[in-house]
């Protein structure tokens, strides 16, 4: 089952008449798969997302470990986390917390942005939805940059701005800021993927009453239910089996087979013509037959019980109507019922989300930190650190690298202005991808959108690595 990421999902308002007037001929038939099977298959989504995220953590912390800044005694220090079997990562808990908090804030503000963009839901149109999407993405990218500013990240001992060494080696993956930036992206991705997976389970639950029951559920229900075939039907079936040439099965298996056929025939007789055309649109017959405790199967015995029965029946009908409207809204967004989407596509969407988050964070952090270092007061170059005149100052602590100093407000403002063009480009790229999910998804299909999102996410991911020099 596929899930539109919360990053791209937008709320839309539909009138009840629009929901009930959906063309049944254009609606795609719901898959005939038990709900328990869909939930079991969807478990692959969180498992694969967790494994992919762990793989990225191992990749970033082992292939690109943190290299301490040089000292007079050790001009080329080894990595602080060498690549050996007993290697252990050192996560930045501050980066995880700030990244997760930034995504939660951006997600919380989406509804107010949508409400304002649609003039308090009075002017809902594709244009207002697109405006809401662009503003939400702009806020999201601003919070991504703000998370880096809050953490106070700076490059370790950058050389003079504009020098040959600056152009060739800075920023570098051995910098501690690279690892902290990655942990910000990890915190962001964990919360985003977790919410997307929870949203996927909620969407599956909307189809629970209109999906067929599992064989094990039918067997357990038959063993404890009074809805069994009449004895005459069993005797007639046994008589027919005796007159045939085929071997006679055991009494228990034959009785169970007849019971199954009787139940399925009862189901077919009780299904209305409307639900036969499109069973997911109306009330499920399976729900009323297999769940005898529902209000529709009780009979009131007194005036008080009759009042309680009527109230419970009204609540059940309202819940059914709400679920019906929610299912139609989802199918209008996706173009197909969510249970019809293969699990592989859902897994691919979660991988797209992780790659895009890491790529955007690495790209904006590289530009931001580089511009911040260029706007700061120039520090001595590495050659000056090891000269005879400054070696004593270095060892005595008189000379400190940039990572031990706090940037001034003027430096931050200047760096933000220089980072603004990159911010605009990333916002437009991210907004274009989000508009594909919100506007073009029913036309191009979930499969095409997922593959296109994968290509964009891979491009942004490798672009982020390239900005840090990880591919050289």
């Amino acid at each position: 089952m596929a899930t539109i990421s919360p990053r791209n999902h937008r709320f839309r308002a539909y009138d009840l008449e629009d929901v009930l007037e959906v063309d049944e001929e254009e609606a795609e038939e719901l898959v005939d798969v038990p709900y328990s099977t869909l939930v079991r298959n969807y478990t692959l989504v969180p498992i694969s997302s967790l494994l992919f995220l762990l793989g990225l953590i191992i990749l970033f912390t082992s292939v690109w470990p943190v290299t301490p800044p040089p000292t007079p005694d050790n001009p080329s220090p080894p990595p602080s986390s060498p690549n050996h079997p007993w290697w252990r990562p050192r996560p930045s808990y501050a980066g995880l917390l700030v990244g997760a908090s930034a995504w939660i804030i951006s997600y919380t503000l989406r509804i107010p942005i949508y409400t304002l963009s649609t003039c308090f839901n009075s002017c809902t149109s594709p244009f207002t939805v697109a405006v809401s999407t662009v503003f939400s993405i702009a806020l999201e990218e601003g919070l991504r940059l703000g998370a880096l500013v809050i953490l106070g990240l700076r490059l370790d001992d950058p050389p003079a701005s504009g020098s040959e060494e600056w152009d060739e080696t800075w920023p570098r993956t051995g910098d501690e800021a690279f690892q902290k930036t990655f942990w910000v992206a990890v915190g962001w991705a964990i919360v985003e993927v977790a919410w997307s997976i929870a949203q996927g389970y909620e969407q599956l639950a909307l189809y629970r009453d209109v999906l067929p029951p599992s064989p094990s559920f039918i067997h357990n229900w038959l063993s404890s239910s009074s809805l069994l075939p009449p004895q005459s039907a069993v005797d007639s079936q046994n008589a027919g089996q005796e007159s045939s040439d085929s071997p006679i099965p055991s009494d228990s298996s034959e009785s169970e087979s007849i019971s199954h056929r009787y139940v399925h025939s009862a189901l077919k007789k009780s299904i209305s013509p409307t639900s036969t055309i499109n069973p997911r649109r109306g009330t499920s017959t399976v729900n009323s037959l297999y769940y005898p405790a529902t209000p529709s199967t009780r009979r009131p015995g007194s005036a008080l019980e009759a009042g309680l029965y009527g109230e419970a029946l009204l609540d059940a009908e309202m819940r059914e109507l709400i679920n019906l409207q929610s299912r139609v809204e989802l199918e209008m967004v996706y173009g197909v019922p969510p249970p019809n989407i293969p699990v592989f596509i859902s897994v691919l969407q979660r991988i797209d989300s992780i790659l895009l988050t890491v790529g955007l964070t690495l790209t904006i952090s590289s530009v931001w930190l580089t511009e911040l270092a260029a706007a700061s007061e120039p520090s001595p170059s590495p050659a000056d650190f090891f000269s005879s005149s400054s070696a004593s100052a270095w060892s005595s602590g008189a000379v400190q690298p940039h990572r031990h100093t706090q940037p001034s407000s003027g430096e931050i403002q200047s760096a933000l202005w220089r980072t603004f063009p990159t911010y605009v480009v990333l916002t437009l790229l991210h907004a274009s991808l989000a508009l594909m999910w919100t506007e073009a998804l029913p036309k191009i299909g979930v499969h095409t959108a997922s593959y296109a999102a994968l290509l964009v996410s891979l491009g942004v991911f490798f672009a982020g690595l390239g900005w840090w020099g990880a591919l050289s």
Side-chain angles (χ1 to χ4, degrees):
M1 195 210 73
T3 305
I4 294 181
S5 173
R7 178 184 65 251
N8 303 323
H9 184 62
R10 296 293 174 268
F11 298 92
R12 297 185 179 183
Y14 298 104
D15 295 334
L16 184 59
E17 297 180 356
D18 298 335
V19 174
L20 298 178
E21 292 179 358
V22 176
D23 190 357
E24 299 291 346
E25 296 181 358
E26 296 180 358
E28 182 175 342
E29 192 67 23
L30 187 64
V31 293
D32 189 17
V33 179
Y35 172 76
S36 58
T37 302
L38 291 176
V39 173
R40 184 172 60 252
N41 294 341
Y42 193 76
T43 309
L44 294 175
V45 178
I47 294 176
S48 58
S49 301
L50 178 61
L51 293 178
F52 184 77
L53 196 57
L54 289 177
L56 282 182
I57 293 175
I58 295 175
L59 175 67
F60 272 78
T61 55
S62 61
V63 178
W64 303 297
V66 177
T67 303
T71 62
D73 297 334
N74 191 4
S76 300
S80 57
S81 299
N83 188 11
H84 48 62
W86 52 89
W87 156 88
R88 295 179 181 178
R90 299 177 181 178
S92 173
Y93 297 104
L96 289 172
L97 181 61
V98 171
S101 302
W103 184 88
I104 293 174
I105 294 175
S106 66
Y107 184 83
T108 305
L109 295 177
R110 287 178 181 178
I111 297 180
I113 292 176
Y114 177 83
T115 303
L116 294 176
S117 301
T118 58
C119 298
F120 298 93
N121 298 328
S122 62
C123 183
T124 303
S125 64
F127 175 76
T128 56
V129 172
V131 171
S132 171
T133 302
V134 173
F135 283 156
S136 299
I137 295 301
L139 174 64
E140 184 174 331
E141 295 304 320
L143 289 173
R144 194 191 308 274
L145 178 58
L148 303 174
V149 178
I150 291 175
L151 288 176
L153 302 181
R154 301 199 73 178
L155 297 177
D156 289 340
D157 310 324
S161 177
S163 63
E164 182 179 356
E165 185 180 2
W166 173 281
D167 297 334
E168 293 180 356
T169 62
W170 295 89
R172 60 189 181 90
T173 56
D175 201 299
E176 187 178 1
F178 177 77
Q179 291 294 327
K180 291 184 177 181
T181 299
F182 170 71
W183 287 110
V184 171
V186 170
W188 185 296
I190 287 177
V191 181
E192 182 178 12
V193 171
W195 185 262
S196 302
I197 293 173
Q199 189 183 50
Y201 279 113
E202 291 178 357
Q203 293 177 2
L204 279 181
L206 295 175
Y207 291 83
R208 181 173 186 175
D209 294 339
V210 295
L211 290 171
S214 61
S216 60
F217 181 85
I218 298 179
H219 176 76
N220 296 334
W221 180 83
L222 285 174
S223 61
S224 60
S225 175
S226 59
L227 184 60
L228 295 175
Q231 185 63 31
S232 59
V234 178
D235 296 339
S236 175
Q237 182 70 18
N238 289 336
Q241 290 291 341
E242 291 177 359
S243 61
S244 62
D245 298 335
S246 60
I248 301 178
S250 60
D251 296 339
S252 59
S253 61
E254 181 63 27
S255 177
E256 181 179 357
S257 176
I258 297 173
S259 300
H260 276 279
R261 287 196 293 271
Y262 182 82
V263 170
H264 288 304
S265 63
L267 287 174
K268 292 180 179 179
K269 292 179 181 179
S270 60
I271 294 178
S272 62
T274 304
S275 61
T276 302
I277 295 176
N278 199 340
R280 71 177 182 275
R281 302 296 188 190
T283 305
S284 173
T285 307
V286 176
N287 183 49
S288 60
L289 287 178
Y290 286 109
Y291 298 94
T294 55
S296 60
T297 59
R298 302 194 196 121
R299 294 295 180 268
S302 63
L304 178 60
E305 291 181 359
L308 296 177
Y309 167 79
E311 183 179 355
L313 182 61
L314 180 60
D315 293 340
E317 292 295 334
M318 288 299 298
R319 287 195 299 269
E320 181 65 27
L321 185 59
I322 293 174
N323 289 340
L324 170 62
Q325 182 177 2
S326 300
R327 290 195 295 267
V328 174
E329 288 179 356
L330 283 176
E331 295 175 18
M332 293 178 70
V333 172
Y334 285 103
V336 294
N340 290 17
I341 302 175
V343 180
F344 168 74
I345 298 298
S346 299
V347 174
L348 188 63
Q349 289 179 351
R350 302 286 73 79
I351 294 177
D352 295 346
S353 176
I354 296 174
L355 289 176
L356 185 64
T357 298
V358 176
L360 291 173
T361 308
L362 290 179
T363 303
I364 195 67
S365 65
S366 172
V367 178
W368 156 251
L369 294 175
T370 302
E371 297 297 341
L372 182 62
S376 303
E377 292 294 331
S379 62
S381 63
D384 296 334
F385 286 153
F386 308 122
S387 63
S388 57
S389 60
S390 60
S392 58
W394 171 274
S395 59
S396 62
V399 178
Q400 295 291 339
H402 275 292
R403 63 190 182 99
H404 294 292
T405 60
Q406 293 296 331
S408 63
S409 58
E411 295 173 354
I412 294 178
Q413 184 178 4
S414 176
L416 286 175
W417 277 112
R418 296 180 181 181
T419 312
F420 184 74
T422 305
Y423 163 79
V424 172
V425 172
L426 294 180
T427 299
L428 293 177
L429 178 63
H430 193 177
S432 301
L433 190 61
L435 289 174
M436 179 189 68
W437 286 102
T438 57
E439 301 297 335
L441 183 59
K443 300 178 181 178
I444 65 177
V446 178
H447 294 73
T448 303
S450 300
Y451 295 139
L454 176 62
L455 295 177
V456 175
S457 301
L458 285 174
V460 175
F461 176 76
F462 285 108
L465 291 178
W467 275 101
W468 279 92
L471 304 179
S472 58

